[in-house]
């Protein structure tokens, strides 16, 4: 007997079966999805935990490094003062030694150094002030107004006391004569006095002072003779006797080279006459005729040659001795000029 299948039943069963399969599949898929999500969440949690742990470890390491660095810096800072304090002691000691040396030097200068060198001294002779500067190299310069005298000096120090000897007569000093001297006061405070004597009848005192420089005013609206400007020398017997220098600004220097005397002054030109002005207690004007011929200058009655020229090298010293005089008037004029220059020199001495 053949079995017949109910189509409707089969359909319902089929549908139910399909439905169950579908639900099972869906549930299975949902479970798998849930499992996947759970697994992902777990992975994420693990990752986050791992990252968090790693971050914490890094931060901890960084903190440790920073703390170590701060510790090192602190230790270094603590060590540095110790090093500085170690260096400061020698520096402080050196400064103290230097200070003591300076104080000792000042004390020596103030109360114990009693020598004439490196001090400007002055004394008055016949209402004229003379200044003296003694240098450590044994030279001295004397000043009288705008006049200078240059020379040398010697000192002795024995059982008879101290003496000083000048090689030039200047002010209160005699040439070549030893003068006994003693010094009191303090050069540091500027109140030293040097008592000098040649005998009981001739005593004088120099005082520490500051030189009053006598500067003459340059001539106004001055026009120099370009042929005259420069230095000129009069020679005799292989010696330089006189030297005169004319500057463009109107200043002039006349030197007696063998005597070490230098006249500082100014000049003006009036035709063929030079008016030379220097200062002692007042301005002194000396008119002197002149003539320039190339590298030769007739001045004070003598023939000078320009310093450094070929004429200076080629000209005989003997030829410069006597000025060229064509008549008695020129000879008389030359003699007068020489006399005036000699008188001015005596004033300086």
């Amino acid at each position: 007997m053949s079995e017949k299948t109910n189509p409707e039943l089969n359909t319902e069963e089929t549908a139910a079966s399909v439905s169950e399969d579908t639900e099972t599949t869906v549930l299975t898929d949902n479970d798998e999805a849930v499992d996947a999500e759970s697994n992902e969440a777990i992975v994420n949690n693990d990752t986050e935990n791992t990252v968090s742990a790693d971050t914490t470890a890094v931060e901890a390491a960084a903190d440790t490094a920073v703390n170590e660095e701060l510790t090192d810096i602190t230790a270094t800072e603590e060590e540095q003062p110790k090093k500085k304090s170690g260096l400061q002691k020698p520096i402080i000691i050196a400064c103290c030694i230097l200070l003591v040396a300076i104080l000792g030097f000042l004390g020596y200068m103030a109360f114990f150094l009693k020598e004439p060198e490196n001090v400007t001294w002055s004394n008055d002779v016949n209402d004229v002030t003379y200044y003296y500067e003694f240098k450590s190299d044994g030279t001295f310069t004397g000043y009288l107004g705008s006049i200078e005298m240059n020379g040398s000096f010697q000192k002795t120090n024995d059982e008879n006391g101290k003496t000083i000897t000048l090689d030039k007569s200047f002010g209160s000093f005699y040439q070549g004569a030893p003068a006994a001297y003693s010094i009191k006061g303090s050069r540091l405070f500027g109140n030293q006095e040097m008592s000098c004597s040649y005998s009981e009848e001739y005593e004088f005192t120099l005082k520490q002072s500051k030189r009053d420089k006598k500067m003459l005013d340059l001539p106004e609206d001055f026009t120099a003779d370009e042929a005259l400007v420069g230095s000129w020398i009069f020679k005799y017997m292989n010696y330089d006797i006189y030297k005169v220098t004319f500057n463009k600004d109107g200043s002039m220097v006349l030197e007696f080279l063998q005597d070490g005397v230098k006249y500082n002054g100014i000049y003006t030109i009036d035709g063929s006459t030079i008016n030379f002005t220097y200062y002692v207690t007042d301005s002194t004007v000396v008119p002197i005729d002149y003539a320039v011929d190339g590298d030769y200058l007739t001045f004070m009655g003598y023939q000078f040659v320009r310093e450094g020229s070929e004429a200076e090298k080629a000209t005989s010293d003997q030829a410069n001795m006597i000025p060229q005089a064509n008549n008695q008037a020129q000879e008389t004029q030359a003699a007068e000029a020489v006399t005036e220059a000699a008188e001015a020199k005596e004033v300086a001495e």
Side-chain angles (χ1 to χ4, degrees):
M1 186 174 158
S2 64
E3 293 183 358
K4 294 183 181 179
T5 304
N6 188 353
E8 294 180 0
L9 181 59
N10 292 337
T11 301
E12 292 176 357
E13 291 177 354
T14 301
S17 175
V18 170
S19 176
E20 291 177 358
D21 292 338
T22 302
E23 289 178 358
T24 302
T25 302
V26 171
L27 290 175
T28 304
D29 293 338
N30 289 338
D31 291 338
E32 292 178 354
V34 171
D35 292 338
E37 289 177 358
S38 299
N39 293 332
E40 185 177 354
I42 292 171
V43 170
N44 289 336
N45 289 335
D46 292 339
T47 303
E48 290 177 357
N49 292 333
T50 302
V51 170
S52 176
D54 293 341
T55 303
T56 302
V58 170
E59 291 177 352
D63 291 340
T64 302
V66 170
N67 291 333
E68 290 177 353
E69 185 176 357
L70 291 175
T71 302
D72 293 339
I73 292 173
T74 303
T76 303
E77 290 178 350
E78 291 176 352
E79 290 175 359
Q80 285 180 348
K82 294 181 181 178
K83 292 181 179 179
K84 288 184 178 179
S85 62
L87 293 175
Q88 285 175 352
K89 289 182 180 178
I91 294 174
I92 293 173
I93 293 173
C95 291
C96 291
I97 294 174
L98 179 61
L99 181 60
V100 170
I102 293 173
L103 293 176
F105 175 73
L106 293 177
Y108 171 71
M109 288 188 60
F111 305 106
F112 299 102
L113 183 58
K114 306 296 183 183
E115 296 298 336
E117 290 91 339
N118 303 318
V119 174
T120 299
W121 304 92
S122 70
N123 74 323
D124 294 335
V125 180
N126 298 327
D127 298 326
V128 178
T129 302
Y130 290 79
Y131 295 93
Y132 313 80
E133 293 181 355
F134 301 97
K135 303 177 179 63
S136 299
D137 61 358
T139 62
F140 85 93
T141 302
Y143 298 91
L144 172 61
S146 65
I147 304 171
E148 295 180 27
M149 173 169 280
N150 296 285
S152 61
F153 71 96
Q154 291 182 341
K155 297 189 307 178
T156 63
N157 186 6
D158 53 29
E159 65 276 3
N160 297 321
K162 297 180 178 180
T163 65
I164 183 170
T165 306
L166 276 61
D167 70 338
K168 303 282 193 310
S169 293
F170 186 78
S172 298
F173 288 94
Y174 291 143
Q175 177 180 356
Y181 76 92
S182 62
I183 299 175
K184 64 180 181 179
S186 167
R187 70 169 56 197
L188 182 64
F189 301 134
N191 61 356
Q192 285 192 129
E193 291 185 355
M194 181 163 64
S195 299
C196 305
S197 66
Y198 286 107
S199 65
E200 293 182 356
E201 291 76 23
Y202 186 18
E203 298 178 347
F204 57 95
T205 300
L206 308 183
K207 295 183 178 181
Q208 183 176 351
S209 62
K210 183 177 181 181
R211 182 165 68 93
D212 182 15
K213 298 180 181 180
K214 301 297 183 181
M215 303 298 293
L216 296 170
D217 295 331
L218 294 173
E220 298 180 358
D221 302 326
F222 178 77
T223 301
D225 181 352
E226 294 294 337
L228 180 65
V229 171
S231 295
W232 306 81
I233 297 177
F234 167 63
K235 295 175 176 288
Y236 178 64
M237 297 295 292
N238 295 321
Y239 292 100
D240 293 344
I241 307 300
Y242 303 127
K243 179 178 179 180
V244 60
T245 301
F246 301 95
N247 298 311
K248 287 185 177 181
D249 60 1
S251 60
M252 173 180 165
V253 181
L254 176 61
E255 300 178 63
F256 294 79
L257 299 174
Q258 298 303 309
D259 298 323
V261 179
K262 181 186 296 186
Y263 290 77
N264 299 287
I266 60 175
Y267 74 103
T268 58
I269 299 175
D270 184 9
S272 61
T273 301
I274 291 174
N275 294 308
F276 175 46
T277 304
Y278 62 93
Y279 188 95
V280 182
T281 58
D282 200 355
S283 297
T284 302
V285 182
V286 179
I288 306 173
D289 286 349
Y290 83 102
V292 179
D293 182 12
D295 289 330
Y296 296 92
L297 167 68
T298 301
F299 183 72
M300 290 170 43
Y302 293 92
Q303 183 172 288
F304 289 68
V305 291
R306 187 182 295 277
E307 185 179 37
S309 66
E310 293 297 325
E312 180 188 3
K313 301 175 183 178
T315 303
S316 170
D317 294 329
Q318 297 285 349
N320 291 332
M321 177 61 183
I322 305 299
Q324 297 176 356
N326 297 324
N327 52 50
Q328 186 64 35
Q330 288 181 331
E331 292 179 358
T332 302
Q333 187 181 49
E336 291 177 351
V338 173
T339 300
E340 290 175 350
E343 291 175 351
K345 174 176 174 293
E346 290 178 358
V347 171
E349 296 178 350

